[in-house]
Amino acid sequence: MPRSTVATSLSAKLLLLTILFVLLAEVLIYAPSIARFRMSYLEERLAAAHIAALSVEAAPDLMVTKELQAKLLAYTGTHVIDLIQPGARVYMLSRPMPPQADAVYDLRGTGMGMQFVDAGNALWLALEGAVEGTVGPQRNRVIRVIDRSPNDPAQRVEVTMDERPLIDAMLDFSRRILAVSVAISLIAAILVYVTLHALLVRPMRRLTAEVVAFRRDPDGAPPLVPGTRADEIGVAERELAAMQGTVRAALRQRERLATLGTAVAKINHDLRGILSTASLLSERLTESADPEVRRVTPRLVASLDRAVELCSQTLSFTRDGVLPLSPAPTDLHRLVEEVGAEVLATARPDGGRVEADWVNEVPAGTLAQVDAAQLGRALVNLGRNAVQAGADRVRISIQAEPANRLTLTVADNGPGLAPRARENLFQPFAGSARAGGVGLGLAIAREVLRAHGGELRLVESDAAGTAFALDIPQCNADTGAVAVAAHKSFVSH
């Protein structure tokens, strides 16, 4: 498993994301801050202009000297000051040749949105000047600002001023904001990094190391000792420790079962040979002169046949593993006919022949993309279960489903499944539906259907009979158009 580098580690990502998010927060704070700074700057100029204009009222004949006007205008940083009082009286201070205003800003009723726009335009002009190398008087604009006096809202103040000092003040404010933002970002990032590294990264690294070690050597890896944390990390540690214990127990159980299965397969192989020999010898008992011997011989032969069948199914189940399939276009009508012939040749538990009706309702020429041998094996198991349980009629029908699927239905009129059989229906050696059964037929049939990408399910089972549904793939249009002369015959194990 490749180890993560410093650049791709969780710690580095946390550090980077923390810095980015703090900077993003500072940007979101900066926008209203710079707009508010610009408004405060202009309000200060208007307040100073109001005070300067009041000097006109104190002067003789409402006239101030040119020297005083120049000092007042220089103090307020303006070219022209107009103070309009409620009585329509106007006090005015002006330079001898005031410049024309390039833009007019009426701050009365200006909302926050327009303040953002005006501040942004001012900074944009400064940025353009910096790019063009014309920062300075060449890029200076003269603006006219109108607003109610901050000192007396009943009076209106109008000033004409240079915009360059305002932009310089905004740039200086922006530099201070940037410096503070960077400092806050670094401090916050370091604190968050250290905290998250201690709370999350180190425990996650420990859990990751435990998982990697357990995957490499489940038995040799030391057991995880969970901590006492009550958060998600603590829950993950406890669940991982429990999972390790469960997996270790399952692996030990699998090893024991594998060893037992190998031994059973060897014993089963020898036992099947012994039973087959006994079955052949028992057939000679039918020629005995003793009527009682001839009467019980069929039951003896049937019992031996069931024992051989048990050995064969057990050996097949332990040997198969993942079923190897060879799907090909298969005529289902013909396959069901062949299955019926084999099922009806099955001996009853008392040794007699099966007498039942095998009803094939699958239309001739119905094609399916299946392994004929394996699907036939599943159908034989279902059919034998039905007739050995007492059914005298087995009906096989088919129905087309969406997405190129077919559903085969195997229905019988037997007595239905017992409650114990339903509870463990597809469990090997536990789901037998008849006395003397071993419960492998349905388990094998379901494995066959799942190997085809389908499923075997119980549709219904009551006193009127039992029905199973088999989901199988249908031939596609191109394959189905090809005539199938014959299909592979199957062998049931």
Side-chain angles (χ1 to χ4, degrees):
M1 178 179 178
R3 298 180 61 88
S4 60
T5 62
V6 175
T8 60
S9 64
L10 183 59
S11 301
K13 293 178 180 178
L14 285 174
L15 180 61
L16 179 60
L17 289 176
T18 303
I19 295 175
L20 290 177
F21 289 152
V22 173
L23 287 177
L24 177 61
E26 292 295 334
V27 169
L28 296 178
I29 295 174
Y30 172 76
S33 298
I34 194 65
R36 184 64 252 173
F37 176 83
R38 179 178 178 275
M39 285 293 295
S40 298
Y41 183 93
L42 294 177
E43 288 173 354
E44 291 177 0
R45 290 293 178 270
L46 292 172
H50 184 184
I51 296 174
L54 291 178
S55 63
V56 177
E57 185 178 11
D61 299 328
L62 299 179
M63 295 293 293
V64 297
T65 64
K66 295 182 179 181
E67 292 78 5
L68 181 59
Q69 284 195 64
K71 290 180 179 180
L72 292 174
L73 293 173
Y75 172 75
T76 57
T78 59
H79 298 290
V80 178
I81 298 175
D82 291 333
L83 176 62
I84 298 91
Q85 295 183 337
R89 180 179 294 178
V90 178
Y91 297 150
M92 179 178 179
L93 296 174
S94 175
R95 295 185 185 278
M97 296 292 293
Q100 293 293 326
D102 299 316
V104 178
Y105 295 101
D106 191 344
L107 304 184
R108 293 171 295 179
T110 303
M112 183 60 69
M114 185 56 65
Q115 295 177 22
F116 290 159
V117 173
D118 292 340
N121 289 336
L123 292 176
W124 180 254
L125 290 174
L127 179 62
E128 284 185 338
V131 172
E132 298 173 3
T134 57
V135 177
Q138 298 87 345
R139 295 295 297 178
N140 181 42
R141 293 194 311 170
V142 176
I143 60 175
R144 186 170 182 81
V145 182
I146 305 171
D147 196 5
R148 297 180 182 89
S149 172
N151 301 322
D152 185 359
Q155 303 182 34
R156 186 176 83 242
V157 181
E158 300 180 6
V159 298
T160 302
M161 56 182 287
D162 292 331
E163 190 180 29
R164 187 71 244 173
L166 170 62
I167 293 177
D168 291 339
M170 292 174 64
L171 293 176
D172 183 64
F173 176 79
S174 299
R175 284 190 289 268
R176 294 197 303 269
I177 286 288
L178 177 61
V180 172
S181 300
V182 171
I184 293 176
S185 299
L186 292 177
I187 295 174
I190 293 173
L191 292 177
V192 172
Y193 170 78
V194 172
T195 304
L196 293 181
H197 190 273
L199 293 178
L200 296 178
V201 177
R202 289 177 60 187
M204 287 300 298
R205 285 180 178 174
R206 177 169 172 258
L207 286 177
T208 303
E210 291 285 347
V211 171
V212 172
F214 184 76
R215 180 183 64 84
R216 291 175 177 172
D217 187 5
D219 291 327
L224 172 65
V225 180
T228 59
R229 296 177 57 165
D231 55 8
E232 288 79 0
I233 296 293
V235 174
E237 290 178 345
R238 290 188 288 273
E239 291 297 326
L240 178 59
M243 184 195 69
Q244 286 181 347
T246 303
V247 172
R248 284 192 177 99
L251 290 176
R252 288 192 291 268
Q253 181 70 9
R254 188 182 68 175
E255 291 177 358
R256 289 195 293 268
L257 290 177
T259 303
L260 179 62
T262 302
V264 169
K266 293 180 180 179
I267 296 173
N268 211 8
H269 182 273
D270 297 338
L271 183 60
R272 186 175 63 170
I274 296 172
L275 291 174
S276 297
T277 302
S279 179
L280 291 175
L281 295 176
S282 299
E283 291 180 355
R284 296 185 179 181
L285 295 177
T286 58
E287 302 174 358
S288 174
D290 189 343
E292 183 63 20
V293 172
R294 291 197 303 270
R295 186 179 66 83
V296 300
T297 295
R299 298 180 62 184
L300 174 61
V301 172
S303 299
L304 291 173
D305 288 343
R306 288 199 303 275
V308 172
E309 179 186 359
L310 167 61
C311 293
S312 299
Q313 288 186 345
T314 303
L315 187 62
S316 175
F317 183 78
T318 57
R319 182 188 60 211
D320 281 346
V322 180
L323 293 176
L325 297 183
S326 299
T330 302
D331 187 341
L332 292 181
H333 177 83
R334 182 177 174 184
L335 178 62
V336 171
E337 286 294 324
E338 294 181 5
V339 168
E342 182 168 350
V343 169
L344 296 179
T346 303
R348 295 200 309 263
D350 59 0
R353 304 294 296 178
V354 169
E355 295 181 1
D357 294 330
W358 185 264
V359 182
N360 183 4
E361 295 183 355
V362 178
T366 302
L367 299 180
Q369 190 73 14
V370 296
D371 187 315
Q374 296 292 351
L375 181 60
R377 178 185 180 190
L379 290 173
V380 167
N381 288 341
L382 292 173
R384 281 180 176 172
N385 283 349
V387 297
Q388 290 179 351
D392 57 14
R393 185 174 186 271
V394 181
R395 180 175 61 88
I396 293 85
S397 59
I398 194 168
Q399 181 179 356
E401 302 290 346
N404 291 330
R405 307 295 295 182
L406 295 172
T407 298
L408 274 173
T409 302
V410 179
D412 63 66
N413 63 347
L417 298 174
R420 177 179 176 276
R422 295 185 190 181
E423 294 175 0
N424 306 287
L425 193 59
F426 299 108
Q427 296 297 322
F429 306 104
S432 176
R434 58 185 173 85
V438 295
L440 281 177
L442 291 178
I444 293 175
R446 186 177 66 167
E447 286 191 0
V448 169
L449 268 297
R450 287 184 172 179
H452 281 86
E455 185 59 84
L456 172 65
R457 63 182 185 277
L458 176 66
V459 178
E460 60 181 357
S461 181
D462 50 31
T466 302
F468 285 93
L470 296 78
D471 178 48
I472 57 176
Q474 185 180 17
C475 283
N476 55 42
D478 296 335
T479 307
V482 180
V484 182
H487 64 79
K488 180 173 60 176
S489 61
F490 64 90
V491 179
S492 177
H493 297 287

